[in-house]
Amino acid sequence: MTSTIRTISILFSALALVACAAPQVSEPETVAVRATSLNPSYSSVNAQILSDAAKIDSSFTATLDPEVGVDTVTRLQSSYTQEVGDESLRVGDAVSSVGMWGTSVRYGGMQFGTSSETRADVIASNRMATAGMAVLPTVADALFASASDAGSNLGQQNLSVDRSLPSGGQGWNLAVQDALGHSQSIAAPMIARTRLVEEGCSDFSVGIGKVREDYALTSNSYGPMFANTTVACGAPLGFTVEGHGEYLADEVTALGFGVARQFGSLGTASVAFAQSNDVSGASGWMSKVGFDHSNSMFNLMVRSRFQSREFRDIGSMALTDPIMQRDLASVGVNVTERASLSVAYATQTTWARERTNLIALKQSMGVGRGTMSMSAGHSLEDNFGSSVFISYKRPFGGIKPWSRRVADEIEELDLQLPQSMQSVDN
C-alpha cells in the first residue's frame, strides 16, 4: 500500500511539474517533464533540468498493476551531461557509439566526445524492456530475426517484431513488443547513410563503464565491464578514415576500421574490416562494403556484409548460427514532381545455410491537397505471405505547398508472419 501511494504521488508530482514547467515566452526553459504514457497499468515519465552548458536527465516507468511482475517504480536511465568546448561529457547511463560496423549497447559509466547520437538504423527506444544484456538491434537485425526462431538475439531478449507498417516516407516502421508485452511502433531506415567528416580527427566518442542488464525490468542491474570507442578522421584526398573498437570483459574484444570517400557526382563508396577474439580464444573476421548515390531524380544505396563463422561482436556473442552474408539494397525514383517509386531488397544467409529474402515496393503520389501511398511487401520464403497497404493523407487547416521529396533510401515492408510470431496486437 505504501508503494502504491508513493507511485501515485510521483505521478501527480510529475503532472504538477508539467504544468509548472511551461516557460514564459521571454525566458529559457530550465525544467522539462514529459509523460509519454500515463495510466494506472503503465506510465513513462522523463524529467530534465537544463542550463546553457549542462543537463540532468532522468526517466522512469511506474505501474499499479501487481500482475506485471516488476517493481512499482522502475528507473530507466539517469545521467548528467556537461558541455566542454566542442565536446560533451556524460556521466551515468548512455548508449555506445557505432561507426560503419559494431553494436550499440546501453551501459552505465562515462561517455566523452563530439558524437553521441546513435546511428540512424539502430532501434534506440528508451522504453523497450529487454531481458539480459541491453543490446540495441538495427532495423535489419529486427527484420531478419522476426523470420527466425527464438534462438535469435531478439528472441533471447524477449523482443519480438510482428511486422513493418507504412511509415509515410520515414523508413521501416516496425511494431515491436518488449519483454513486458508493451508494443511500440518505431520508424527507422534500414540503411544508414555513410558518414563523411571534415579534415582532422575532431569526431570521436569514448565510453567506459558496465553494460546494462534487464533494462526497464529492474532499476539498477549492471553486468561486466564495457569499453567502446569510435574515431573518425578526415584524411587528405577527401577520404574519411574511421576506427572502432568494443570490449566486454571475459567475453569478446573486437577492433576494426573503415574507409569512405565521395567520388564526385558518382556517389560515396565505403569499406570496413574488423577482427574479433572471444573468451574461448576463437578469432574471426568481418568485412563490409557499401555504395550511396543520390541526385534530383533517384537515389541508390547498397550494403554487403561478409564474415567468418567465428566472428563475434557484442551483439552476436550468443548466436549459434551466425551470419555468413547479408545484402541490403534500395532504389528510389522521383517519377514526377508529385510522385515517387521505391524498391527495397534484403537477403541474408547464415552458416547453417538458412536463407531469408525480403522485398518491398512503395509508390507515393500527390492527389489533390494530400498524398496517396501504396506499399507492398513479399517474402520469397514458404512460411511468409504478401500484403498491400493503401493510405491517403491530407492536412487540415493551413495548407503548405507540396514540396518535391527525394525518395527515401529505404521504404517499408509488411510481412504476414507465422501465427507463432504474431505477438503484437494490430
Side-chain angles (χ1 to χ4, degrees), residues 143 164 172 190 329-331 341-346 357-363 374-380 387 410-415:
L143 287 171
S164 60
W172 297 54
M190 189 175 66
S330 67
V331 179
L341 177 67
S342 57
V343 180
Y345 177 72
N357 297 276
L358 313 174
I359 188 169
L361 171 70
K362 179 176 179 179
Q363 182 178 20
M374 185 279 291
S375 60
H378 178 68
S379 173
L380 304 181
S387 59
I410 273 292
E411 299 298 341
E412 66 279 351
L413 172 68
D414 177 85
L415 297 174

Side-chain angles (χ1 to χ4, degrees), residues 71 73-76 93 212 214 216-222:
D71 295 337
V73 178
T74 303
R75 185 183 66 86
L76 296 179
D93 294 300
R212 192 79 183 264
D214 294 333
L217 297 174
T218 60
S219 296
N220 301 295
S221 179
Y222 294 90

Side-chain angles (χ1 to χ4, degrees), residues 272-290:
F273 180 83
Q275 183 172 356
S276 70
N277 293 277
D278 64 19
V279 66
S280 67
S283 177
W285 60 269
M286 182 276 302
S287 64
K288 295 182 71 174
V289 294

Side-chain angles (χ1 to χ4, degrees), residues 154-172:
L154 266 69
Q156 294 166 4
Q157 293 177 295
N158 291 330
L159 287 173
S160 61
V161 179
D162 182 61
R163 65 172 60 185
S164 60
L165 306 171
S167 61
Q170 298 300 315
W172 297 54

Side-chain angles (χ1 to χ4, degrees), residues 153-355:
N153 276 348
L154 266 69
Q156 294 166 4
Q157 293 177 295
N158 291 330
L159 287 173
S160 61
V161 179
D162 182 61
R163 65 172 60 185
S164 60
L165 306 171
S167 61
Q170 298 300 315
W172 297 54
N173 199 333
L174 305 175
V176 183
Q177 187 179 61
D178 68 5
L180 294 176
H182 303 132
S183 60
Q184 183 178 355
S185 179
I186 300 173
M190 189 175 66
I191 302 178
R193 294 187 181 276
T194 302
R195 183 180 58 162
L196 300 175
V197 300
E198 298 179 352
E199 191 168 347
C201 296
S202 59
D203 191 298
F204 70 96
S205 177
V206 178
I208 186 170
K210 288 195 171 186
V211 70
R212 192 79 183 264
E213 293 183 339
D214 294 333
Y215 177 77
L217 297 174
T218 60
S219 296
N220 301 295
S221 179
Y222 294 90
M225 288 296 299
F226 164 82
N228 168 281
T229 182
T230 305
V231 181
C233 300
L237 303 179
F239 286 93
T240 291
V241 181
E242 180 185 88
H244 176 75
E246 49 193 51
Y247 163 80
L248 189 65
D250 301 323
E251 291 289 352
V252 67
T253 301
L255 298 171
F257 68 92
V259 179
R261 188 181 190 277
Q262 182 174 349
F263 294 91
S265 59
L266 181 62
T268 301
S270 61
V271 60
F273 180 83
Q275 183 172 356
S276 70
N277 293 277
D278 64 19
V279 66
S280 67
S283 177
W285 60 269
M286 182 276 302
S287 64
K288 295 182 71 174
V289 294
F291 180 76
D292 301 353
H293 174 83
S294 181
N295 59 40
S296 60
M297 295 300 298
F298 74 95
N299 63 31
L300 169 68
M301 302 185 75
V302 179
R303 298 288 187 274
S304 291
R305 170 177 175 169
F306 311 88
Q307 68 179 60
S308 67
R309 183 191 293 269
E310 296 80 15
F311 178 79
R312 295 291 188 273
D313 57 12
I314 293 179
S316 61
M317 291 185 309
L319 290 182
T320 57
D321 185 18
I323 298 170
M324 182 172 68
Q325 181 176 346
R326 174 184 287 181
D327 300 308
L328 311 173
S330 67
V331 179
V333 180
N334 287 323
V335 181
T336 66
E337 185 178 0
R338 300 189 64 188
S340 65
L341 177 67
S342 57
V343 180
Y345 177 72
T347 180
Q348 175 178 285
T349 303
T350 67
W351 277 96
R353 296 300 190 271
E354 179 182 337
R355 185 176 178 86

Side-chain angles (χ1 to χ4, degrees), residues 93-106:
D93 294 300
V95 174
S96 64
S97 65
V98 289
M100 299 180 190
W101 67 276
T103 303
S104 283
V105 300
R106 297 188 183 278

